[in-house]
Amino acid sequence: MGIRIGEIMFIVMIVLVLFIVVIIFFNKRGIPCIMYHNISENKGVNVETFTKQIENLKDMNTFKFEEMEKLNNKLPKNSVLITFDDGYADNYTNAYPILKQYNLKATIFLNTAYIDVDPFYLNWEQIKEMYNSGLVDFQLHTHSHFSVINKLKISRFFGEKDKENKELYREMKHIYGVEEIKNGYPIFKKRGETAVKGYKITDDFIKKYDELLEEYNELEISEREEKLLKEMDDNLIKYMKKYTFDEYKKRVENEILQNKMIVEEHLDKKAEYFANPWGHKSKELLGILGEIGIKGMITTKKGTNGLKLEMFKIRRYEAKTFKKFKILLFINSNYLLGKLYELVS
C-alpha cells in the first residue's frame, strides 16, 4: 500500500516544525555588517531612510572595530556592525547626528588623500569630533582608493562629459600618469589596485595612441572608435606591461601604510583594520596584510557573520531602501538564513 495522505501531512508537519525550531535557534546568532557610503538626498541612502534604518537598530548591540581585539573578536547575540566607506563629509553632517541620537557605534574606513583637500570628504576637525565622542571609529581604506587596469579590454572611450565625473577623472589621470586625459582615451576594465597586480600604461603606448588620435581626428566618433579598437587589438597591446609582484607589493604597502600612518598620527590611536576598495581580495593581498600588521579585512561579499568573527572574511551588505533593509536585517541576524543568503547572492 502507498503512503496515505494523512501520513504525508504528518511528515510535512514534522519537517516544518523542525525547520521552525532550527530557525528560532539560530535567530540573533548572525552578525549583520551593514555598509554605507554617502548619506544624502542626491547619492547613497537619503537621510529619511537612514534615520529609519538606524532607529530600527536601536535595541541591538553595536561595536567599533577598534574594540574587536579586547573582545577576542567575539560579539554577543543581537549585535550589528555599522560601517561607512571612503569618509564623505555627509557622514558628519547627516549620519553622525542620527548615530548620536540613538547612541549607536559605527566605523568609518577612510581614504586619507582627500581629507582637508576635497570638500566632498571629511576634514580632520570633523573626524576628531566624531572619534572623541566614543561612537565612531576610523580605520583603513587605502590612502587614494585608486584602481588599476585588470584586463586589456576596453569598456568605452573617455568623453567630454566624463570630465565632470571627478572620481573617474582622478583615477584616469593616475592610471595614465598624466595631468590631462584626452577625449578618446580608452577606459579599460579595472579593479582596486590593492587586489590585483594589473597592467601599466607605458610612455610608448601614450605616444602611439596620441598619434592615432591625431590621425583619426576628423572621423566620426563611431568610426574613430572602431579603428582605435582594431589598433588596440593588432598593435597597441604590446605596449601594455604587467606589473611585477614586487611592484604590486610596493604599491599595496605604500597605499595602506601611508593610510595607517596618517590616521594614527591625527587620532593618536591604532588603525589595524582594512576595508579593501571594491571588495576584491587575493592570496597575495592577504599575505601582504599579514606582513604589515593588519588584523582584519572587511569585504563586500554578501552574507552574515558568526558570533566569533572570521576577521579576514567579514561579510557586508548594502541596503538603500527601508524595505530591503528590514528584509536583509532579518535574514542576516539569523545565522542559518544568512548563510543561505550567501549561497544565492
Side-chain angles (χ1 to χ4, degrees):
M1 293 178 64
I3 300 176
R4 296 176 181 176
I5 293 177
E7 293 173 332
I8 294 174
M9 291 298 295
F10 178 74
I11 293 170
V12 170
M13 287 296 295
I14 292 295
V15 171
L16 183 61
V17 169
L18 287 174
F19 179 74
I20 292 172
V21 169
V22 170
I23 292 297
I24 292 172
F25 176 79
F26 283 106
N27 190 39
K28 297 185 179 181
R29 292 176 182 269
I31 305 295
C33 185
I34 305 170
M35 175 175 61
Y36 295 100
H37 291 84
N38 291 99
I39 307 299
S40 73
E41 301 309 310
N42 302 316
K43 195 173 183 181
V45 178
N46 67 52
V47 178
E48 180 182 0
T49 300
F50 180 75
T51 303
K52 289 170 68 177
Q53 291 181 358
I54 294 300
E55 182 182 18
N56 206 247
L57 302 176
K58 65 183 179 183
D59 295 324
M60 298 183 73
N61 304 302
T62 56
F63 298 91
K64 301 175 291 184
F65 272 82
E66 66 180 2
E67 299 176 300
M68 293 303 163
E69 191 167 23
K70 69 180 181 182
L71 294 168
N72 196 29
N73 303 326
K74 187 173 182 179
L75 303 183
K77 290 192 294 183
N78 196 36
S79 295
V80 62
L81 297 171
I82 303 169
T83 68
F84 298 79
D85 281 3
D86 305 325
Y88 295 114
D90 56 45
N91 294 178
Y92 173 81
T93 56
N94 295 333
Y96 177 52
I98 299 164
L99 292 171
K100 282 200 299 182
Q101 179 182 348
Y102 292 100
N103 197 38
L104 297 183
K105 297 177 181 179
T107 299
I108 298 177
F109 295 90
L110 285 175
N111 297 130
T112 39
Y114 314 114
I115 300 171
D116 281 335
V117 175
D118 187 334
F120 196 53
Y121 288 78
L122 294 164
N123 60 50
W124 283 115
E125 183 179 351
Q126 294 167 332
I127 291 169
K128 288 176 181 178
E129 180 185 337
M130 286 191 282
Y131 183 66
N132 291 335
S133 74
L135 292 178
V136 184
D137 183 25
F138 292 90
Q139 295 291 338
L140 310 173
H141 198 44
T142 72
H143 182 59
S144 308
H145 201 298
F146 282 140
S147 61
V148 67
I149 296 170
N150 182 43
K151 294 182 179 179
L152 296 180
K153 183 176 180 181
I154 297 175
S155 299
R156 61 185 181 87
F157 293 90
F158 190 84
E160 190 65 30
K161 287 187 177 180
D162 289 316
K163 293 179 181 178
E164 299 171 10
N165 185 332
K166 180 170 57 179
E167 292 180 353
L168 173 63
Y169 197 35
R170 185 163 57 203
E171 277 204 353
M172 289 284 287
K173 289 194 289 185
H174 170 71
I175 287 172
Y176 279 86
V178 297
E179 288 301 314
E180 181 186 0
I181 298 298
K182 296 180 181 179
N183 292 342
Y185 271 18
I187 300 175
F188 293 94
K189 296 284 187 180
K190 307 187 297 292
R191 276 203 172 190
E193 67 173 359
T194 56
V196 295
K197 294 193 285 290
Y199 294 88
K200 56 184 170 181
I201 291 174
T202 64
D203 291 341
D204 284 339
F205 176 90
I206 294 176
K207 180 182 176 182
K208 297 290 184 183
Y209 199 86
D210 284 347
E211 289 174 358
L212 290 172
L213 282 180
E214 183 67 26
E215 181 181 345
Y216 302 149
N217 185 51
E218 300 301 321
L219 298 178
E220 293 290 331
I221 292 178
S222 59
E223 186 180 359
R224 181 178 67 197
E225 291 182 352
E226 184 180 341
K227 285 182 174 293
L228 289 170
L229 281 170
K230 189 174 188 309
E231 286 288 349
M232 182 70 203
D233 291 338
D234 292 348
N235 301 309
L236 295 177
I237 197 168
K238 65 185 178 185
Y239 296 108
M240 304 286 284
K241 304 296 181 184
K242 196 158 192 174
Y243 283 102
T244 65
F245 175 76
D246 287 341
E247 289 173 321
Y248 164 67
K249 183 178 181 181
K250 183 178 180 181
R251 182 175 75 218
V252 173
E253 290 175 342
N254 286 345
E255 275 292 312
I256 298 176
L257 291 177
Q258 188 175 7
N259 194 204
K260 179 178 171 67
M261 178 189 70
I262 292 171
V263 172
E264 292 183 346
E265 283 185 353
H266 279 85
L267 297 181
D268 192 25
K269 60 153 285 180
K270 289 289 185 182
E272 301 170 308
Y273 300 91
F274 174 60
N276 195 20
W278 300 35
H280 304 130
K281 67 177 181 178
S282 63
K283 290 181 180 179
E284 291 88 351
L285 173 62
L286 292 174
I288 297 168
L289 294 180
E291 289 179 16
I292 61 179
I294 299 302
K295 295 182 178 178
M297 187 180 77
I298 295 80
T299 73
T300 55
K301 292 282 188 181
K302 296 177 183 177
T304 195
N305 305 281
L307 300 179
K308 177 72 172 181
L309 298 172
E310 295 183 78
M311 293 309 296
F312 284 86
K313 295 181 180 179
I314 295 176
R315 292 176 175 268
R316 289 194 295 176
Y317 63 88
E318 197 169 17
K320 293 186 179 180
T321 67
F322 185 61
K323 182 179 180 180
K324 184 177 180 181
F325 174 87
K326 287 276 287 183
I327 293 170
L328 290 180
L329 182 65
F330 172 77
I331 290 172
N332 289 297
S333 293
N334 187 295
Y335 185 72
L336 177 61
L337 294 179
K339 289 301 173 184
L340 292 174
Y341 170 61
E342 287 179 17
L343 294 176
V344 300
S345 296

